[in-house]
Amino acid sequence: MNKICTIEAPLQPVVGLSKMPSDVTIVVPCFNEEQRLSRTAFLRYLDTAPNVSFLFVNDGSRDGTLALLNALAAQAGGRVQVLNLPANRGKAEAVRQGLRAAAHDGADHIGYWDADLATPLDAIDDFIRVLDKFRATQVVFGARRQLLGHRIRRTPMRRAVSFVCAALARQAIRLPVGDTQCGAKLLRNTPNLRAAIATPFTAGWLFDVELFARLSANLPDRHRAFYEQPLMEWQEVAGSKVSAAAILRSGLHMLWLIVRMRLATRPTPQDMPAT
């Protein structure tokens, strides 16, 4: 099967980014998060999770986000690092740059989490337990399912958008995924992952689906590799920076990606069974 991505130039060391003494590194993309990011919540979680570190990616923020992140890093005793992108490059690229830096530093598991903490940080512990228990699992991702007793609060519009995204995802990776757009994911730091994040994403806001597609293209057992973790809590936070136009553009990019994948996996005459 043909690879969806190609390898770009080796990652250069990021200035000011030291190797993190942890098994798990969580990337947190930030763009103008000064009013939404809870420094206290991250510090409290670090006190309970000695094997976890955070890498915050400041994506060209125009408010006081960078100063806030630097202050958080100063309080965290080396377990918080800040990667500063001088110009805004979008969430997809901010996540990718953070994942590449974290993978290069050698953490066993790397992931990404939304800065607004719509998914509480203690869900990271649940994700880690899944990877520890199931060695075949390569990706754990949050699923915002309306199960009895779960505290999942989403607007009808967000549910509708999520439904469309999941439908596109099922076509792209040919797996019965239910929710790809929750901003909480944890992945094994493997050669396959490092290849999947080597080049920029093209699907914009739907980069999660593109990442899954790149990973699944080179996995021998895709069904066991992906694990949906139903979240106990998820709270929609006001201030989303995703516009309707961005969602539409991302959907068109994803349709084009699906076409490319279908062409890449189409059997050649040599693959067809003899008649």
Side-chain angles (χ1 to χ4, degrees):
M1 183 176 295
N2 295 335
K3 292 184 178 180
I4 301 302
C5 58
T6 58
I7 304 298
E8 66 180 5
L11 180 70
Q12 299 299 315
V14 178
V15 176
L17 187 65
S18 61
K19 184 173 176 62
M20 301 180 201
S22 66
D23 302 319
V24 179
T25 299
I26 302 296
V27 173
V28 184
C30 299
F31 175 65
N32 293 346
E33 296 289 353
E34 182 183 16
Q35 300 301 319
R36 298 203 307 171
L37 190 141
S38 173
R39 187 164 63 182
T40 300
F42 283 98
L43 290 172
R44 284 178 177 169
Y45 177 73
L46 286 172
D47 285 340
T48 69
N51 63 325
V52 177
S53 290
F54 290 98
L55 170 57
F56 290 86
V57 182
N58 178 48
D59 185 23
S61 297
R62 295 186 290 269
D63 61 359
T65 296
L66 181 58
L68 175 66
L69 297 179
N70 287 333
L72 174 57
Q75 288 183 271
R79 295 176 58 202
V80 166
Q81 303 289 338
V82 179
L83 173 59
N84 183 42
L85 304 181
N88 177 250
R89 302 175 68 179
K91 181 179 179 180
E93 185 60 11
V95 168
R96 190 184 77 91
Q97 292 289 344
L99 291 177
R100 293 190 73 215
H104 183 262
D105 274 353
D108 295 329
H109 308 320
I110 60 178
Y112 53 99
W113 222 259
D114 281 348
D116 61 11
L117 300 185
T119 305
L121 288 171
D122 57 12
I124 296 172
D125 304 332
D126 299 327
F127 287 24
I128 294 172
R129 279 191 286 271
V130 171
L131 289 179
D132 286 344
K133 182 173 183 178
F134 300 117
R135 302 306 302 174
T137 299
Q138 302 296 308
V139 183
V140 183
F141 56 104
R144 298 163 293 183
R145 294 181 177 175
Q146 300 290 145
L147 300 174
L148 185 64
H150 290 229
R151 274 63 172 174
I152 307 297
R153 298 178 178 89
R154 287 195 290 173
T155 63
M157 177 59 71
R158 290 293 288 267
R159 291 182 186 176
V161 171
S162 180
F163 177 82
V164 173
C165 293
L168 290 172
R170 287 191 286 272
Q171 292 298 314
I173 62 178
R174 300 185 181 183
L175 288 174
V177 294
D179 185 2
T180 60
Q181 297 313 112
C182 175
K185 299 185 172 62
L186 189 63
L187 312 97
R188 291 194 194 278
N189 186 1
T190 64
N192 188 34
L193 172 61
R194 294 191 289 275
I197 59 177
T199 54
F201 299 112
T202 62
W205 184 65
L206 294 176
F207 75 92
D208 307 77
V209 179
E210 187 173 357
L211 173 60
F212 284 13
R214 291 181 179 188
L215 290 169
S216 66
N218 297 297
L219 290 171
D221 190 344
R222 295 182 299 120
H223 287 80
R224 288 192 175 188
F226 293 89
Y227 188 100
E228 282 192 281
Q229 174 69 30
L231 298 175
M232 291 186 286
E233 299 177 69
W234 193 89
Q235 176 69 53
E236 188 166 327
V237 180
S240 172
K241 304 174 184 66
V242 180
S243 66
I247 294 174
L248 178 59
R249 285 195 303 270
S250 297
L252 293 175
H253 283 306
M254 182 50 56
L255 290 174
W256 173 235
L257 177 67
I258 292 170
V259 171
R260 283 168 48 204
M261 291 187 64
R262 292 293 184 271
L263 293 174
T265 58
R266 180 177 295 173
T268 64
Q270 291 80 7
D271 297 326
M272 299 297 289
T275 57

